[in-house]
Amino acid sequence: MIAATVVLLGARLIIPRLRSRSAAARHLWWASALACASLIPLFARLIPASDAAWFNTLVHALPRPVSTLAGSNPDDVIVRTAGLEPAIWSPLDLAHSAWLLGVVMCTAILAWRLGRIHAIGRRATPVTDADMCACLRRSAQRVGLNDGAVALLRGDDLAVPATWGWSPRVVLPSASRQWSRVRLETVLTHELVHVRRRDWLTHMLAELACAVFWFNPLFWVARGALRRESEHAADDAVLCTGIEPADYAADLLEIVRSARIRTIPPTSLAMARDSDLSARIVRVLAVAANRAPITRARVATWTAAAAAIACGVAFLTMPALAAEVQLLPARVPSAVRSMLDDPVDQSRSPVGEVRVIGAWPAPIETPHVSEYTTPPLYSDDARAQRIEGVVTVQIHLDAAGTVVTARVTSHLGYGLDENALVAVRHWRFTPARLQERAIPVDAEVDVAFSLRNEALNELIANDMATQVGPGVTPPRVIRTQRPVSDRGAGGRVLLDVVLEEDGTPRIVRILRSGGSDLDAAAVSAFEAWRFSPATKDGKPVKVRMTAEISVHG
């Protein structure tokens, strides 16, 4: 959002000072700035991250303010130390919920306003008067538009002319029956200019951008400037057809006087509004004002430039080369406290029998777990649902007893499948032997999840790392990999991690699952991260952390 804010702030400071330029040009620049600011966060989510060495070298070679902008993406991974049972709601969760609530409210208001003008259009009646239809044809010819592409209506709900809709419609107030032919053609020309310029579509896209980025006041400022410049541009186009500025200003003033007693729908493009009338009249009467229109080629050029700038800035913000790691004092998890008060039954092992798959010409010495380095731990969802049972993992062991591949063949869900995989991948097995010779084999192992033994497994996991406390220097990120899902869906996964003395992260379990695909993407990406080691009294130590991973689709 920093880059988007800089774009809009620059537009706010520069565009209003370009008074020698035409209103159509200023409208185009405001639209380009708003589009660029809206696309930067979108492209940042869609463009794949670049982990190329040349790009990282370039970023580090940039001046510090630029490299900080190019190397920070705090939304992807949030790393913090905590107890074994982290808080369900983090400050980021609250901020995300507040943003989502704002988006829903703004979108609901926009939908209500669109429904309101749709109802006004339904109640309006088509104009069949021959003189008015002739005026519509002449006005359409003036602006280079086909009069059949616009529906001309008259209604009692509006006091001023307005236009809106994907299929454009121009709605005249009931007072238009008493208008002169000159005023009617002037009004219709103004509204048809909006139709030809597709101002309503631009206005709706600006409204959607404001709904998404409602918390940034610069988006609302840009939307207001876009509306004002569209009216100035339409005024200029009308005056370029030969209408006298004094007559046009008088028509504007008279229409606004009749409209003061009624509300103008904000989602329509009304010809005259009381709020900006004085500025419009001053500009209409200005003799030396630049009223040059904008060509389609220039619109296409600026649109492509805005997209290219947004894409370039988004690319620069992709790699998360720096992330702050905050260390907090670890607390004794509630599961361990309950174990101390009420010892659990330790007779039930979480590791079942290892079964060798396939037929062999002679008996095989079956492998078994030799290094139980990581216990199978519960996810928050599984603990809350009190899920118990067995996850069966099929593994391929090499001749040294190291797990080469692993996949779940019998599922429990709720994040327990991935936790079983995380645990099994860390275990070491005794080699399978055929006639005293170590051989690679395919095997199955059952991983049991029991709430009775949960506290013991938590205690074993807690002993894997040094307790964080005073005098511990936080680690820093030195290499990253952006988590991306192959299935196209995105989401967040919360991992329980031990950071080794050499800065290598070791995934202990999935705390909060995002689904099997997202869990696998988060684990795979975060295992490729590297940190400088945490230190205590100048010596590297292990630390226990949680990492909230945002997986991109």
Side-chain angles (χ1 to χ4, degrees):
M1 276 311 300
I2 295 177
T5 300
V6 170
V7 169
L8 291 180
L9 185 60
R12 176 66 182 85
L13 295 175
I14 295 173
I15 296 177
R17 288 169 171 76
L18 303 177
R19 296 185 180 89
S20 62
R21 303 292 182 173
S22 68
R26 291 196 301 273
H27 179 269
L28 176 60
W29 294 336
W30 271 116
S32 300
L34 191 57
C36 184
S38 303
L39 290 174
I40 287 173
L42 176 63
F43 285 170
R45 297 287 184 181
L46 297 180
I47 299 175
S50 173
D51 290 321
W54 67 266
F55 184 78
N56 291 338
T57 303
L58 173 63
V59 169
H60 286 300
L62 294 173
R64 183 172 180 80
V66 181
S67 63
T68 300
L69 173 64
S72 178
N73 192 357
D75 290 337
D76 277 350
V77 179
I78 301 163
V79 182
R80 64 175 73 86
T81 60
L84 297 181
E85 296 176 356
I88 295 177
W89 286 95
S90 67
L92 185 69
D93 293 325
L94 295 176
H96 183 267
S97 298
W99 167 78
L100 189 59
L101 179 61
V103 171
V104 171
M105 292 179 62
C106 291
T107 305
I109 292 173
L110 179 60
W112 175 78
R113 288 175 173 173
L114 288 173
R116 186 178 164 203
I117 64 169
H118 180 68
I120 291 174
R122 276 204 325 267
R123 291 192 293 269
T125 57
V127 173
T128 57
D129 182 84
D131 291 338
M132 284 195 171
C133 290
C135 289
L136 177 64
R137 284 193 297 272
R138 286 191 293 269
S139 298
Q141 290 174 357
R142 285 180 177 176
V143 302
L145 196 67
N146 181 8
D147 62 294
V150 180
L152 183 60
L153 309 172
R154 182 188 288 115
D156 297 329
D157 297 298
L158 296 176
V160 297
T163 182
W164 66 80
W166 304 107
S167 299
R169 61 187 66 193
V170 175
V171 179
L172 300 175
S174 55
S176 61
R177 293 185 178 91
Q178 285 75 45
W179 288 352
S180 65
R181 180 186 60 79
V182 175
R183 174 178 291 182
L184 185 60
E185 288 189 13
T186 300
V187 168
L188 289 175
T189 301
H190 179 97
E191 299 303 328
L192 292 178
V193 167
H194 281 309
V195 173
R196 187 196 66 194
R197 287 167 43 86
R198 294 178 174 83
D199 283 337
W200 186 82
L201 175 60
T202 304
H203 178 59
M204 285 299 101
L205 292 175
E207 291 283 352
L208 288 175
C210 288
V212 175
F213 303 102
W214 57 267
F215 54 88
N216 192 329
L218 289 174
F219 277 86
W220 299 95
V221 170
R223 185 203 66 164
L226 200 65
R227 181 191 288 276
R228 288 192 300 273
E229 296 299 350
S230 72
E231 293 301 330
H232 291 318
D235 293 341
D236 291 344
V238 171
L239 296 176
C240 287
T241 63
I243 294 175
E244 287 296 323
D247 295 338
Y248 186 65
D251 287 337
L252 283 177
L253 185 60
E254 183 60 31
I255 290 173
V256 168
R257 282 177 177 173
S258 64
R260 285 180 176 174
I261 59 174
R262 300 190 187 180
T263 302
I264 302 172
T267 46
S268 66
L269 292 171
M271 179 178 177
R273 295 176 187 267
D274 196 10
S275 58
D276 56 355
L277 178 64
S278 58
R280 289 180 64 186
I281 289 180
V282 168
R283 196 174 190 287
V284 165
L285 297 177
V287 177
N290 184 348
R291 308 190 193 280
I294 294 295
T295 63
R296 291 185 178 180
R298 193 173 179 185
V299 171
T301 300
W302 275 92
T303 302
I309 292 172
C311 185
V313 174
F315 182 82
L316 284 176
T317 59
M318 291 317 304
L321 300 177
E324 183 179 0
V325 181
Q326 297 179 344
L327 299 182
L328 305 175
R331 58 187 173 86
V332 179
S334 60
V336 175
R337 282 201 305 269
S338 65
M339 185 198 71
L340 298 176
D341 296 334
D342 184 17
V344 297
D345 179 11
Q346 301 182 18
S347 60
R348 182 178 176 185
S349 170
V351 186
E353 179 186 1
V354 179
R355 300 179 297 275
V356 175
I357 300 174
W360 296 87
I364 290 180
E365 183 180 335
T366 304
H368 62 270
V369 177
S370 61
E371 292 184 17
Y372 180 73
T373 50
T374 302
L377 297 173
Y378 269 81
S379 64
D380 289 346
D381 290 342
R383 185 190 299 115
Q385 298 291 330
R386 303 193 65 78
I387 304 298
E388 292 187 312
V390 174
V391 174
T392 301
V393 179
Q394 182 176 318
I395 56 178
H396 177 73
L397 299 175
D398 63 15
T402 303
V403 177
V404 179
T405 61
R407 67 182 184 91
V408 174
T409 58
S410 177
H411 304 263
L412 281 180
Y414 298 94
L416 296 183
D417 299 340
E418 280 297 326
N419 283 347
L421 286 175
V422 166
V424 170
R425 288 189 183 113
H426 289 158
W427 295 347
R428 290 294 300 271
F429 293 79
T430 59
R433 295 183 179 277
L434 178 63
Q435 297 177 348
E436 303 300 324
R437 181 171 58 91
I439 59 171
V441 294
D442 292 319
E444 285 185 341
V445 58
D446 291 334
V447 181
F449 288 89
S450 169
L451 291 170
R452 292 182 300 161
N453 281 1
E454 180 194 9
L456 177 62
N457 288 335
E458 296 278 8
L459 185 57
I460 294 172
N462 203 48
D463 286 340
M464 294 169 60
T466 300
Q467 292 291 318
V468 177
V472 175
T473 302
R476 296 188 62 82
V477 178
I478 59 176
R479 194 179 80 191
T480 67
Q481 177 174 311
R482 189 167 184 250
V484 179
S485 172
D486 295 334
R487 300 296 181 89
R492 288 185 178 273
V493 179
L494 189 64
L495 302 180
D496 186 3
V497 182
V498 167
L499 190 63
E500 303 282 2
E501 291 94 334
D502 62 355
T504 302
R506 180 174 181 176
I507 313 300
V508 177
R509 63 167 159 182
I510 312 294
L511 275 170
R512 191 165 66 235
S513 174
S516 58
D517 295 331
L518 298 187
D519 293 346
V523 169
S524 175
F526 198 70
E527 283 179 340
W529 281 52
R530 291 298 179 267
F531 296 78
S532 64
T535 59
K536 185 174 184 179
D537 300 327
K539 297 180 180 180
V541 294
K542 295 180 182 179
V543 290
R544 192 75 174 277
M545 307 184 301
T546 60
E548 187 172 13
I549 313 295
S550 179
V551 182
H552 299 268

